[in-house]
Amino acid sequence: MKRKGVLLLLMMTMTLLLSSCWSKKELTDLAIVSAIGVDKTEDGRYTVTLQIINPGNVAGELVGGGGSQSPPITIYSASGNNLVEASRRASSRISRRLYYAHANLVVIGEKLAREDGINVLIDAFDRDPEFRATATMVIANHTSAADLVKTLTPVDKIPANKVLKTLEFTERKWGENVKVSLQDVMMGLESPGGKSVVGGFRMVGDHKQARMLENLQESAPAATLRASGIAVLKQGKLVDWLYGKTARGTVWILDKIQGTDINIDWGGRKETVAYQTVRQKTSVSAQIKNGQPHISVHTRVEGDIGEMEVPVDITNPKVITKIEQSLRKEIKKELKMAIERAQKDKTDILGFGEVFHSSRPKEWKKIKSEWNDVYFPKSKVDITVEAYVRRAGLRNKSFLSGVKENQ
């Protein structure tokens, strides 16, 4: 009986202790931050631009009648010698407590990324228990972070969501951009060579119009946000931008291609056959030959014919073989472009050093101190590509063949 009495007393005590709300936060007292932009001022300080959600305007219809229309977000900016000071100074401009738990986007201005780098900023983000390390990071391409954060976007009421969704879908469908989190960047900068890649974004159009509500009321907005290139970071600083096939080749070697389109020449006409990838896998191996690093890159791709602008008989096995050979040549060309660009920058964003570190730890200890500047730029890389055509969509015979026969 004594044991039951003690247990009952303990349960009653715990009930009393667990019933309090000591850490409660009223929604009316919070300013929910959806995106953070960081720029460098002329005097060397930091300017923080905060994109804060207006809950009532997001929940309802953005465009309505009368004069009650207002934007879904409000922008506040403040400057300081560090991010904490700038954030604290922003409290003098807003009547609510800044709440960073829903901040899913961090935008770094290009000037800051090139001159100071992002290493000095990461400590503040990672140290704050309220901020999520899973937040996506982007570099403002040829513009400031403030311009990106302030731009109002149609379709997606919250501009931060526009950036996140665009990166996600273009990475999945096109392959020339990457979506990386703050945690991914930290891991890359802490890896051998201290390198990382970050998605780029830019504001296209009229800077002044981008901040006005009228920008959302036009079928063709005067300003919009667009994914633009891949930023190459070395020791935390922006050293290069990758675009087009070089960017896609980089993503391919990193084994992050989810889907893309490859155009090949046929019958003397350029890019007349479109090939859509369905599944792909890239593997990298490393070894030492004659005292020098030797890298092997192997890519296997399977896909479908998406379009043909010339009458091609794809029922002929020899034609399919020829298409596959052209695909291998084109993919190999893109991978080679990416490798040559990385070696020129002396920045191992392709992760070859990590492969050496994991597969050849003894050899790696001897070369790691000079990897980026000496060994990586001169490493020989063998590229092997396998490409296969699996399906042809809903038709085998080209529509152009039938048109030509009836003429």
Side-chain angles (χ1 to χ4, degrees), residues 263-274 309-310 333:
N263 299 324
I264 61 172
D265 304 340
W266 192 268
R269 296 178 58 185
K270 291 186 176 182
E271 300 186 347
T272 51
V273 178
E309 296 183 4
V310 290
K333 177 183 176 182

Side-chain angles (χ1 to χ4, degrees), residues 156-194:
D156 296 292
K157 293 183 179 180
I158 302 175
N161 289 345
K162 152 73 174 180
V163 175
L164 298 175
K165 291 180 180 179
T166 301
L167 281 176
E168 179 181 345
F169 287 120
T170 190
E171 182 183 53
R172 185 185 304 172
K173 294 294 184 180
W174 189 228
E176 292 182 3
N177 303 91
V178 291
K179 181 182 178 184
V180 297
S181 66
L182 179 64
Q183 190 175 40
D184 295 330
V185 176
M186 291 170 59
M187 292 175 62
L189 296 178
E190 291 175 347
S191 65

Side-chain angles (χ1 to χ4, degrees), residues 101-251:
H102 291 283
N104 293 322
L105 178 65
V106 177
V107 184
I108 308 297
E110 180 169 357
K111 179 181 178 182
L112 172 59
R114 282 194 182 277
E115 296 180 359
D116 291 0
I118 67 172
N119 289 351
V120 293
L121 309 176
I122 288 181
D123 183 84
F125 290 124
D126 191 42
R127 192 178 296 274
D128 191 339
E130 197 174 82
F131 194 84
R132 299 181 181 181
T134 55
T136 298
M137 176 179 283
V138 300
I139 304 293
N141 190 334
H142 293 85
T143 186
S144 65
D147 284 338
L148 260 67
V149 174
K150 292 178 180 178
T151 300
L152 296 176
T153 56
V155 183
D156 296 292
K157 293 183 179 180
I158 302 175
N161 289 345
K162 152 73 174 180
V163 175
L164 298 175
K165 291 180 180 179
T166 301
L167 281 176
E168 179 181 345
F169 287 120
T170 190
E171 182 183 53
R172 185 185 304 172
K173 294 294 184 180
W174 189 228
E176 292 182 3
N177 303 91
V178 291
K179 181 182 178 184
V180 297
S181 66
L182 179 64
Q183 190 175 40
D184 295 330
V185 176
M186 291 170 59
M187 292 175 62
L189 296 178
E190 291 175 347
S191 65
K195 77 295 176 281
S196 185
V197 291
V198 180
F201 239 85
R202 71 167 60 188
M203 198 281 291
V204 180
D206 189 338
H207 287 245
K208 294 183 179 179
Q209 186 71 18
R211 308 172 187 180
M212 301 178 67
L213 190 62
E214 288 79 3
N215 193 53
L216 305 181
Q217 299 172 328
E218 299 180 6
S219 59
T224 187
L225 299 178
R226 179 183 302 173
S228 178
I230 297 176
V232 178
L233 302 182
K234 182 178 181 180
Q235 302 300 330
K237 291 187 177 182
L238 175 64
V239 296
D240 199 3
W241 284 103
L242 305 179
Y243 302 99
K245 295 181 178 180
T246 304
R248 184 163 64 176
T250 300
V251 179

Side-chain angles (χ1 to χ4, degrees), residues 134-395:
T134 55
T136 298
M137 176 179 283
V138 300
I139 304 293
N141 190 334
H142 293 85
T143 186
S144 65
D147 284 338
L148 260 67
V149 174
K150 292 178 180 178
T151 300
L152 296 176
T153 56
V155 183
D156 296 292
K157 293 183 179 180
I158 302 175
N161 289 345
K162 152 73 174 180
V163 175
L164 298 175
K165 291 180 180 179
T166 301
L167 281 176
E168 179 181 345
F169 287 120
T170 190
E171 182 183 53
R172 185 185 304 172
K173 294 294 184 180
W174 189 228
E176 292 182 3
N177 303 91
V178 291
K179 181 182 178 184
V180 297
S181 66
L182 179 64
Q183 190 175 40
D184 295 330
V185 176
M186 291 170 59
M187 292 175 62
L189 296 178
E190 291 175 347
S191 65
K195 77 295 176 281
S196 185
V197 291
V198 180
F201 239 85
R202 71 167 60 188
M203 198 281 291
V204 180
D206 189 338
H207 287 245
K208 294 183 179 179
Q209 186 71 18
R211 308 172 187 180
M212 301 178 67
L213 190 62
E214 288 79 3
N215 193 53
L216 305 181
Q217 299 172 328
E218 299 180 6
S219 59
T224 187
L225 299 178
R226 179 183 302 173
S228 178
I230 297 176
V232 178
L233 302 182
K234 182 178 181 180
Q235 302 300 330
K237 291 187 177 182
L238 175 64
V239 296
D240 199 3
W241 284 103
L242 305 179
Y243 302 99
K245 295 181 178 180
T246 304
R248 184 163 64 176
T250 300
V251 179
W252 215 304
I253 295 176
L254 292 173
D255 197 27
K256 291 185 177 182
I257 285 284
Q258 299 182 46
T260 190
D261 164 77
I262 301 172
N263 299 324
I264 61 172
D265 304 340
W266 192 268
R269 296 178 58 185
K270 291 186 176 182
E271 300 186 347
T272 51
V273 178
Y275 174 81
Q276 301 176 116
T277 63
V278 175
R279 61 185 65 88
Q280 49 280 320
K281 178 65 178 178
T282 299
S283 59
V284 179
S285 59
Q287 54 185 317
I288 299 292
K289 290 185 178 181
N290 299 323
Q292 295 296 321
H294 193 98
I295 310 293
S296 296
V297 178
H298 180 270
T299 296
R300 178 185 171 89
V301 188
E302 297 181 37
D304 306 333
I305 298 296
E307 182 180 356
M308 293 187 297
E309 296 183 4
V310 290
V312 181
D313 182 14
I314 56 175
T315 60
N316 185 343
K318 293 183 178 180
V319 172
I320 294 295
T321 299
K322 189 175 179 180
I323 292 176
E324 292 175 342
Q325 291 173 347
S326 298
L327 287 169
R328 292 165 190 164
K329 183 179 179 180
E330 177 61 29
I331 295 172
K332 186 174 182 178
K333 177 183 176 182
E334 294 187 14
L335 301 186
K336 187 177 180 180
M337 290 170 63
I339 293 169
E340 290 177 348
R341 187 63 168 269
Q343 290 179 324
K344 180 181 177 181
D345 291 336
K346 295 183 178 181
T347 306
D348 182 18
I349 57 173
L350 305 174
F352 293 166
E354 295 177 27
V355 176
F356 264 108
H357 181 249
S358 60
S359 62
R360 305 278 177 173
K362 292 183 179 180
E363 290 89 344
W364 174 251
K365 289 182 180 180
K366 300 177 183 178
I367 64 175
K368 67 177 182 179
S369 61
E370 298 180 303
W371 173 250
N372 272 326
D373 296 325
V374 178
Y375 290 97
F376 172 66
K378 299 179 180 179
S379 296
K380 184 178 179 181
V381 183
D382 290 332
I383 303 173
T384 304
V385 178
E386 297 180 62
Y388 302 99
V389 176
R390 296 307 188 196
R391 287 168 292 274
L394 296 179
R395 70 160 53 234

Side-chain angles (χ1 to χ4, degrees), residues 5-16:
V6 172
L7 182 60
L8 180 61
L9 180 62
L10 180 61
M11 292 177 63
M12 292 176 64
T13 304
M14 291 176 62
T15 302
L16 292 173

